[in-house]
Amino acid sequence: MPDLPFDLVVIGAGPGGYVAAIRAAQLGLRTAVVEKDASLGGTCLNIGCIPSKALLTSTELYYELANHGAAHGIKTGKISADIPALMKRKTEVVSKLTGGVKVLLEKRNVTIVQGVGKLGPGGKGVEVKKADGNIQKLETKNILIATGSSAVELPFMKFDGKTIVSSDQGIAFEEVPGKLVVIGAGAIGLELGSVWARLGSEVTVVELLPRVAATFDEDISRVAQRVFTKQGIKFELGAKVTGVTLDKGQATLTAERDGQKLQFPADKILVAVGRRPNTAGLGAAEAGLTLDKAGRVIVDDHFQSNLPGVYAIGDVIVGPMLAHKAEEEGIACVELLAGKAGHVNYAAIPSIVYTEPEIASVGLGETEAKAKGIAVKVGKFNMAANGRALAAGAPDGFVKIIADPKTDRVLGAQIIAHNASEMIASITPHLEYGGSAEDIARTVTAHPTLAEAIKEAALAVDGRPIHAI
């Protein structure tokens, strides 16, 4: 270990932490990153974003061949899923990426310290508890907290890792559950519900709110529920979970709706009701670090906490718990530390649900605008009228552009469509530079592509779509 103090020690090597460390090294800061787990990459790379997307891709291929292969002239006979092989592929994808992170850090001379990091007295330095119990002290001018988040468990339904599980175990079942009950119809619940439903599990999603994907617009939610129901997922909306009974490895979830008691037998119960910031082990109270009621670090516009030289980003501060949000905050934070103009545009952070069809949004939604009394004009185009979508067998969904009625400036967009996660990326830059719906409408878009639906939605803002009446 180097004798000289570091310019920056990052606690946590997830997307926010490792990206911040790389950027800091690029800027000439002497940098170390502390990680408690054996592999780098945090929740996202190890047990979150990446493994779930690997499973979604594999199961989507399986589902398409099993249910729609014949329509494409592909004769397969009866096919079956090999769960161990599917999990092996997932593990290989994860291993390649986490190993890649280590190489990226090492090539930039970032010091990697394995162990559990916490703030030193008064926020001065970082103390790392090693696997052997010894404490390693790191001297540093600045500390960046990037410790991420963990799944929330219900107080009356503790995780046991076998029957009552979080997404950590939901990506690693050894066999397809006969009955899977998912609590929560947000991104994690819908994605993992889709994975196991495609493989033959009887999936029931129980949601307290009256609609699925409730952070998106109401028309998005309606289409999503219709399509996912058609795919075999059952939804129980407006249902408040009240408890669970366990008997010889079998579970029964209990809930209430409009005074009526509900029961849902299950082999597995996946709790996907949100995530909490990982600040419990930081020694915040001892160091004097100020947290809010949700356990998040309170920071200013430069990600500075109440302690001099102590910063925080990602899931441990206010804002959506998204890997790309954490990455951008990490870059902005260290750029500000280096005297540069780091900045994050929170009005242009995309949000994605990686189901099929995918759901994507950026900026202001129509439902949110109405709730806030903001006047908007909206252009909408259905994927069923898009040539590439029809050729791909993906006619479900639509693209919606939300614009200012006076200036035509794009305020936001929402998409439910095949490959929506990639499509939204062509709209986000228009929010960054303050572009208009007309700018999108005047952009030449290759034919045939799914992106033509974006152009048509932009034309529809002004009431002049070409391929819609």
Side-chain angles (χ1 to χ4, degrees), residues 251-263:
T252 300
L253 182 78
T254 58
E256 292 181 354
R257 180 173 53 214
D258 299 328
Q260 180 184 6
K261 295 187 183 301
L262 307 171
Q263 290 189 334

Side-chain angles (χ1 to χ4, degrees), residues 25-74:
Q26 290 175 337
L27 292 168
L29 300 181
R30 186 182 180 85
T31 305
V33 62
V34 178
E35 175 53 50
K36 62 181 178 59
D37 295 327
S39 59
L40 305 176
T43 294
C44 181
L45 267 67
N46 286 278
I47 53 174
C49 320
I50 299 303
S52 64
K53 303 314 165 281
L55 292 179
L56 282 160
T57 299
S58 296
T59 58
E60 184 181 338
L61 177 61
Y62 170 80
Y63 184 85
E64 283 298 307
L65 285 173
N67 294 276
H68 304 295
H72 291 272
I74 302 172

Side-chain angles (χ1 to χ4, degrees), residues 266-278:
D267 297 294
K268 302 279 188 184
I269 297 176
L270 170 63
V271 181
V273 295
R275 299 183 66 81
R276 58 176 174 76
N278 289 335

Side-chain angles (χ1 to χ4, degrees), residues 211-227 359-361 365-368 370 378-382 396-402 413-416:
R211 57 192 181 93
V212 308
T215 57
F216 295 85
D217 282 347
E218 294 174 7
D219 49 359
I220 292 278
S221 293
R222 286 194 297 271
V223 172
Q225 184 178 345
R226 174 177 59 79
V227 174
I359 308 172
S361 72
E366 185 179 8
T367 300
E368 181 185 0
K370 287 180 179 178
V378 176
K380 193 171 177 179
F381 188 80
N382 291 320
D396 293 312
F398 59 87
V399 175
K400 181 166 62 172
I401 304 290
I402 298 102
Q414 300 214 355
I415 305 173
I416 179 166

Side-chain angles (χ1 to χ4, degrees), residues 52-226:
S52 64
K53 303 314 165 281
L55 292 179
L56 282 160
T57 299
S58 296
T59 58
E60 184 181 338
L61 177 61
Y62 170 80
Y63 184 85
E64 283 298 307
L65 285 173
N67 294 276
H68 304 295
H72 291 272
I74 302 172
K75 295 182 179 181
T76 59
K78 184 174 176 60
I79 65 172
S80 61
D82 183 338
I83 302 302
L86 187 147
M87 292 297 170
K88 181 174 180 289
R89 177 184 179 274
K90 176 202 70 175
T91 301
E92 289 171 348
V93 171
V94 169
S95 297
K96 185 173 183 178
L97 287 170
T98 55
V101 170
K102 184 176 182 181
V103 171
L104 289 172
L105 291 169
E106 290 176 340
K107 290 296 184 181
R108 290 172 172 85
N109 296 316
V110 174
T111 300
I112 300 171
V113 182
Q114 296 289 156
V116 179
K118 63 178 288 187
L119 300 174
K124 303 296 183 183
V126 173
E127 297 179 356
V128 183
K129 186 176 181 179
K130 310 292 285 185
D132 59 8
N134 290 324
I135 302 297
Q136 180 179 350
K137 296 183 179 181
L138 306 178
E139 293 184 38
T140 181
K141 298 176 183 176
N142 300 287
I143 300 167
L144 177 57
I145 301 168
T147 45
S149 62
S150 300
V152 170
E153 63 181 1
L154 297 172
F156 52 84
M157 196 182 302
K158 301 292 185 180
F159 296 133
D160 61 20
K162 295 180 180 179
T163 305
I164 302 171
V165 303
S166 71
S167 56
D168 296 4
Q169 295 83 40
I171 60 164
F173 294 152
E174 294 180 354
E175 60 184 13
V176 179
K179 293 180 183 291
L180 172 65
V181 173
V182 179
I183 305 175
I188 294 173
L190 292 174
E191 289 179 11
L192 292 184
S194 293
V195 164
W196 296 108
R198 291 168 184 170
L199 293 171
S201 182
E202 184 180 317
V203 176
T204 301
V205 177
V206 181
E207 169 59 52
L208 177 64
L209 297 175
R211 57 192 181 93
V212 308
T215 57
F216 295 85
D217 282 347
E218 294 174 7
D219 49 359
I220 292 278
S221 293
R222 286 194 297 271
V223 172
Q225 184 178 345
R226 174 177 59 79

Side-chain angles (χ1 to χ4, degrees), residues 249-404:
Q250 295 295 303
T252 300
L253 182 78
T254 58
E256 292 181 354
R257 180 173 53 214
D258 299 328
Q260 180 184 6
K261 295 187 183 301
L262 307 171
Q263 290 189 334
F264 306 103
D267 297 294
K268 302 279 188 184
I269 297 176
L270 170 63
V271 181
V273 295
R275 299 183 66 81
R276 58 176 174 76
N278 289 335
T279 53
L282 281 172
E286 298 87 339
L289 181 69
T290 303
L291 306 178
D292 66 14
K293 292 181 179 179
R296 297 171 299 202
V297 181
I298 297 175
V299 296
D300 63 16
D301 291 343
H302 286 187
F303 309 100
Q304 166 83 56
S305 73
N306 65 300
L307 297 177
V310 178
Y311 302 81
I313 61 165
D315 291 2
V316 295
I317 68 172
V318 169
M321 291 183 171
L322 300 170
H324 45 283
K325 178 250 194 188
E327 290 180 4
E328 294 305 315
E329 288 177 337
I331 291 171
C333 181
V334 297
E335 287 180 343
L336 289 164
L337 273 177
K340 297 185 177 294
H343 173 70
V344 178
N345 181 359
Y346 289 98
I349 297 178
S351 179
I352 316 291
V353 180
Y354 294 87
T355 45
E356 178 53 46
E358 294 178 334
I359 308 172
S361 72
V362 67
L364 184 70
E366 185 179 8
T367 300
E368 181 185 0
K370 287 180 179 178
K372 293 181 177 180
I374 300 173
V376 295
K377 58 180 181 178
V378 176
K380 193 171 177 179
F381 188 80
N382 291 320
M383 299 307 297
N386 176 271
R388 183 63 189 274
L390 290 177
D396 293 312
F398 59 87
V399 175
K400 181 166 62 172
I401 304 290
I402 298 102
D404 186 294

